[in-house]
């Protein structure tokens, strides 16, 4: 049931946070924006509302699957750790157990996540002027990527199978560490805010704990998120980066250490409502099924 609850939570959270995710990716990968509002204004001016939702359909589906894997694997890893350490899968885990299970779940989902992340980033950074602002009567050339699936097909054809896994090393570093913090923060806050004698946290506690867990996780994840996005926009015909370390070194050399924190504020702003939705949906689905299966 954890897999299903995670899938529903992940799909809903993507619908909530996707426009800000597009802005975040553009800020991280392109140097001509002066800030968040400049990026929002320019995107709307040239591409209208649809510019914020490029690649969203595939993203909802893939994030649902990835969120399902993340929550399901976390629960299974945690049960396995508790069984090995305490002899019972339902034993109360320590904070270390929660961190290890969260980190393992984050690492496990990278295999599924990387191709969809590559397609999402390429779609989000592709510019297609909205028909209403095109003054020239000349026909507009078709965009290179005509949708998320077409994008994956073009990448596989032009860059090979390895192109679908660009930025995998940065994504692994990002997700294993941030997922450990994510589940640890959520678990610790729920324990702290739940009154003694109550078995489960109330929904307000779930909302707050999920929101703060998302903010802390993304605060930690942002430097690797910047590197991941830059590696994934690096197409084979104009390749700039040879790997994670080279990308980080070149980015810092040209733009200073602050480049690693591009989109930090936006990540944290987006993370709070998105992860409130993730966890409250996850808990609601689990409690609903528990109620009807008893």
């Amino acid at each position: 049931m954890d897999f299903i609850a995670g899938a529903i939570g992940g799909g809903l959270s993507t619908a909530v946070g996707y426009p800000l995710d597009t802005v975040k990716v553009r800020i991280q990968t392109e140097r001509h924006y002066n800030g968040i509002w400049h990026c929002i204004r320019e995107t709307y001016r040239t591409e209208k509302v649809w510019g914020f939702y490029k690649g969203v359909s595939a993203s909802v589906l893939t994030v649902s699957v990835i969120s399902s894997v993340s929550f399901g694997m976390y629960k299974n890893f945690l049960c396995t750790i508790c069984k090995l350490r305490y002899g019972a899968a339902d034993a109360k885990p320590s904070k270390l157990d929660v961190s290890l299970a969260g980190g393992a779940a984050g690492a496990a989902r990278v295999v599924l996540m990387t191709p969809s992340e590559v397609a999402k980033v390429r779609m989000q950074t592709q510019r297609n002027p909205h028909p209403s602002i095109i003054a020239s009567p000349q026909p507009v050339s078709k965009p290179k990527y005509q949708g998320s699936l077409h994008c994956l097909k073009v990448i596989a054809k032009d860059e090979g199978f390895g192109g679908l896994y660009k930025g995998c090393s940065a994504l692994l570093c990002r997700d294993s560490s941030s997922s450990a913090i994510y589940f640890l923060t959520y678990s610790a806050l729920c324990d702290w805010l739940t009154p003694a004698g109550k078995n489960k946290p109330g929904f307000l506690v779930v909302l707050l704990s999920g929101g703060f867990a998302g903010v802390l996780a993304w605060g930690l994840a942002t430097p690797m998120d910047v590197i991941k996005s830059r590696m994934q926009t690096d197409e084979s015909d104009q390749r700039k980066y040879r790997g994670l370390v080279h990308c980080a070194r070149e980015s810092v050399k040209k733009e200073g250490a602050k480049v690693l924190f591009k989109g930090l504020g936006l990540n944290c702003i987006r993370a709070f409502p998105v992860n409130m939705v993730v966890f409250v949906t996850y808990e609601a689905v689990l409690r609903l099924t528990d109620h009807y299966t008893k």
Side-chain angles (χ1 to χ4, degrees):
M1 203 60 229
D2 292 274
F3 286 95
I4 295 171
I8 296 170
L12 288 175
S13 72
T14 303
V16 169
Y18 199 84
L20 289 180
D21 187 64
T22 298
V23 175
K24 181 257 307 184
V25 168
R26 290 190 171 193
I27 287 172
Q28 288 177 340
T29 57
E30 299 170 34
R31 299 177 64 178
H32 64 270
Y33 294 118
N34 298 325
I36 294 169
W37 289 111
H38 182 232
C39 181
I40 291 171
R41 283 198 310 271
E42 283 298 298
T43 300
Y44 181 76
R45 185 180 68 81
T46 57
E47 299 167 79
K48 303 304 179 187
V49 173
W50 176 240
F52 297 99
Y53 286 93
K54 286 180 174 178
V56 69
S57 56
S59 189
V60 168
L61 293 173
T62 53
V63 170
S64 294
V65 172
I66 289 158
S67 183
S68 169
V69 169
S70 185
F71 277 89
M73 294 294 280
Y74 164 72
K75 194 70 175 179
N76 279 287
F77 279 131
L78 192 59
C79 288
T80 302
I81 290 169
C82 288
K83 194 169 182 179
L84 289 171
R85 292 193 67 188
Y86 313 115
D90 57 353
K92 184 164 178 62
S94 68
K95 298 294 183 279
L96 177 62
D97 300 332
V98 172
S99 298
L100 289 172
R109 72 187 183 206
V110 169
V111 176
L112 287 173
M113 195 173 183
T114 307
S116 68
E117 278 284 307
V118 174
K120 177 180 78 70
V121 168
R122 295 280 180 96
M123 289 291 295
Q124 287 174 325
T125 53
Q126 177 175 257
R127 306 196 166 282
N128 310 114
H130 193 271
S132 65
I133 66 157
I134 299 171
S136 170
Q138 305 247 339
V140 179
S141 60
K142 281 187 177 181
K144 182 175 181 179
Y145 307 121
Q146 294 165 36
S148 296
L149 291 176
H150 181 252
C151 179
L152 288 171
K153 190 164 76 173
V154 171
I155 292 169
K157 181 182 175 185
D158 294 350
E159 303 171 46
F161 183 76
L164 299 175
Y165 280 86
K166 273 190 175 174
C168 184
S169 54
L171 190 60
L172 180 63
C173 293
R174 187 195 80 174
D175 281 15
S176 55
S177 57
S178 65
S179 186
I181 292 293
Y182 184 61
F183 285 107
L184 174 61
T185 304
Y186 177 73
S187 174
L189 285 175
C190 281
D191 288 347
W192 183 49
L193 295 172
T194 302
K198 282 192 74 175
N199 289 330
K200 291 182 179 179
F203 279 111
L204 179 59
V205 171
V206 170
L207 284 167
L208 291 173
S209 300
F212 280 114
V215 170
L216 282 177
W218 273 106
L220 175 69
T222 297
M224 277 299 156
D225 189 49
V226 173
I227 301 305
K228 173 205 73 84
S229 295
R230 291 188 168 210
M231 290 175 72
Q232 289 176 336
T233 55
D234 196 21
E235 300 186 26
S236 56
D237 57 347
Q238 48 187 13
R239 193 172 180 188
K240 294 184 289 186
Y241 308 120
R242 295 193 296 270
L244 188 156
V245 174
H246 183 250
C247 180
R249 194 169 60 232
E250 286 296 300
S251 297
V252 171
K253 181 181 174 184
K254 291 177 181 175
E255 299 171 62
K258 69 179 186 295
V259 70
L260 298 176
F261 297 93
K262 274 192 170 184
L264 174 62
L266 197 55
N267 270 338
C268 293
I269 291 167
R270 181 178 65 95
F272 199 88
V274 163
N275 289 286
M276 283 171 62
V277 170
V278 169
F279 274 107
V280 82
T281 306
Y282 174 76
E283 292 285 352
V285 171
L286 288 183
R287 293 181 195 189
L288 192 66
T289 52
D290 282 347
H291 177 75
Y292 285 106
T293 54
K294 282 183 180 176

